[in-house]
Amino acid sequence: MNLAKEFAAAGPGCAVANGLLNCFETTKVKLQLHNHAKPVYDTPTTRGVMMQIAREEGIVRGLMTPGLSASLTRSMLYGSYRVGLYSTTKEWLSGDGKDNLSHRMLSGMFTGGLGSMISCPLDVVRTRMQADAGVVRNGKYVTGLKKGDAVRYRGMISAFLTIFKEEGLKKGLYRGASVTVLRASLLNGAQLASYDTLKRSLNWNEGPALHFFCGFASGVIAQTAVMPVDTIKSQMMLGSGWKDVFATLRSNGPFYLYRGLAPACAGQGLIMVLQMPLIEEFRRLLGIKAI
């Protein structure tokens, strides 16, 4: 029964936070995939891309809603596993209930990897919908990264069916799954372990102030650690292979792997600021102890 409550607290908390801050995820994907040889955005910085998208496509349509349906569905599923199983896994690993940093890291990595493996197709769909997003006229994009191209997907279900039909399961919906699972394992391990450890290190009373501070700090720490894998994941989900990744790395240098770090850290930090207090409050209402 406790496990069901853990899932019920985690899923909605993750979905609300990710949905409200979808604009940062959209901007991050656009920046990661921006081709400097054929520039679409006049100023390829976080502020520049967001301002141009807002001007050309509108704040809601251009920044807040691309891939939102897939993002919310993924958050409910992925969040339930990555956070909902964390405490149970941590207790099982420690045995006597006296967990340490390695127990927290391993628990977060396991639950994050498991959740990602299950929700990978939704991640592919979300990334492609965000990358494709733009104003459409006569069946073609007139703004965005796909400017001049015909519209591929009409929505989340359309994207699922089209990708499965044209590319199959392994090379389509699970494209880049190894990188995606690795990214989720590292991100979740770093995020939940740092959140958990920071809470124990600070002599603050359990409550919103503690949850807000530890949530933001853990989000920035985790995103910085996982950014190189995150960039590779986005490129592979759009159809690139390892040869393309290495070619891009050779031509752009190692800092290419940290392209989009600012919106990614802002998004992840703010997501955690919303997500962790919400999850902690849902846990309290359901009678479960805080993480």
Side-chain angles (χ1 to χ4, degrees):
M1 185 63 178
N2 251 9
L3 197 56
K5 289 181 179 180
E6 296 259 12
F7 274 50
C14 290
V16 171
N18 280 280
L20 289 173
L21 296 170
N22 192 56
C23 57
F24 288 105
E25 187 67 24
T26 302
T27 305
K28 180 194 74 175
V29 170
K30 298 280 193 183
L31 269 170
Q32 287 174 331
L33 300 171
H34 186 247
N35 186 350
H36 288 281
K38 297 179 180 178
V40 170
Y41 299 110
D42 301 327
T43 310
T45 62
T46 303
R47 184 176 181 275
V49 171
M50 291 185 87
M51 292 287 287
Q52 187 171 336
I53 291 174
R55 185 173 64 251
E56 294 178 348
E57 304 168 27
I59 294 173
V60 174
R61 182 178 178 180
L63 289 168
M64 297 178 69
T65 59
L68 184 60
S69 55
S71 183
L72 292 177
T73 309
R74 173 189 174 274
S75 295
M76 285 291 292
L77 185 62
Y78 173 56
S80 295
Y81 281 93
R82 85 169 188 88
V83 183
L85 279 175
Y86 173 72
S87 295
T88 303
T89 305
K90 184 177 63 175
E91 289 172 11
W92 178 77
L93 282 175
S94 62
D96 57 2
K98 297 179 181 178
D99 58 271
N100 55 37
L101 183 59
S102 63
H103 294 139
R104 293 167 217 154
M105 280 291 295
L106 286 171
S107 298
M109 290 178 72
F110 170 74
T111 60
L114 177 64
S116 178
M117 195 178 299
I118 294 169
S119 63
C120 184
L122 286 161
D123 211 359
V124 171
V125 169
R126 179 189 66 169
T127 301
R128 292 202 184 188
M129 289 176 73
Q130 288 173 333
D132 281 19
V135 173
V136 178
R137 287 184 192 144
N138 301 318
K140 290 188 176 182
Y141 290 107
V142 293
T143 64
L145 295 176
K146 296 293 181 179
K147 185 176 180 179
D149 292 351
V151 175
R152 294 191 295 176
Y153 315 121
R154 300 290 177 180
M156 184 178 74
I157 302 301
S158 167
F160 261 111
L161 295 175
T162 302
I163 294 169
F164 180 71
K165 181 180 177 181
E166 294 180 355
E167 303 170 50
L169 196 62
K170 185 178 178 181
K171 293 184 178 180
L173 293 173
Y174 273 91
R175 176 180 285 276
S178 57
V179 179
T180 303
V181 173
L182 174 62
R183 184 256 185 193
S185 295
L186 293 174
L187 181 70
N188 204 52
Q191 193 268 311
L192 289 181
S194 58
Y195 176 82
D196 200 345
T197 303
L198 282 168
K199 280 186 66 180
R200 295 167 192 236
S201 302
L202 296 170
N203 257 341
W204 295 6
N205 292 327
E206 191 73 43
L210 179 64
H211 303 156
F212 274 100
F213 177 80
C214 294
F216 183 79
S218 67
V220 173
I221 290 168
Q223 186 60 51
T224 302
V226 82
M227 194 65 200
V229 181
D230 203 2
T231 302
I232 293 169
K233 183 204 78 165
S234 291
Q235 189 170 347
M236 291 186 78
M237 282 186 168
L238 267 290
S240 300
W242 281 109
K243 286 184 179 179
D244 302 305
V245 171
F246 289 133
T248 306
L249 190 57
R250 281 195 298 272
S251 61
N252 290 274
F255 287 108
Y256 145 74
L257 295 173
Y258 279 89
R259 189 183 291 173
L261 179 63
C265 280
Q268 194 65 232
L270 290 173
I271 282 171
M272 292 302 114
V273 161
L274 290 174
Q275 194 177 101
M276 298 316 295
L278 279 172
I279 291 172
E280 296 278 30
E281 182 60 20
F282 287 150
R283 290 174 73 91
R284 186 186 68 79
L285 292 173
L286 291 169
I288 315 169
K289 69 177 182 178
I291 292 173

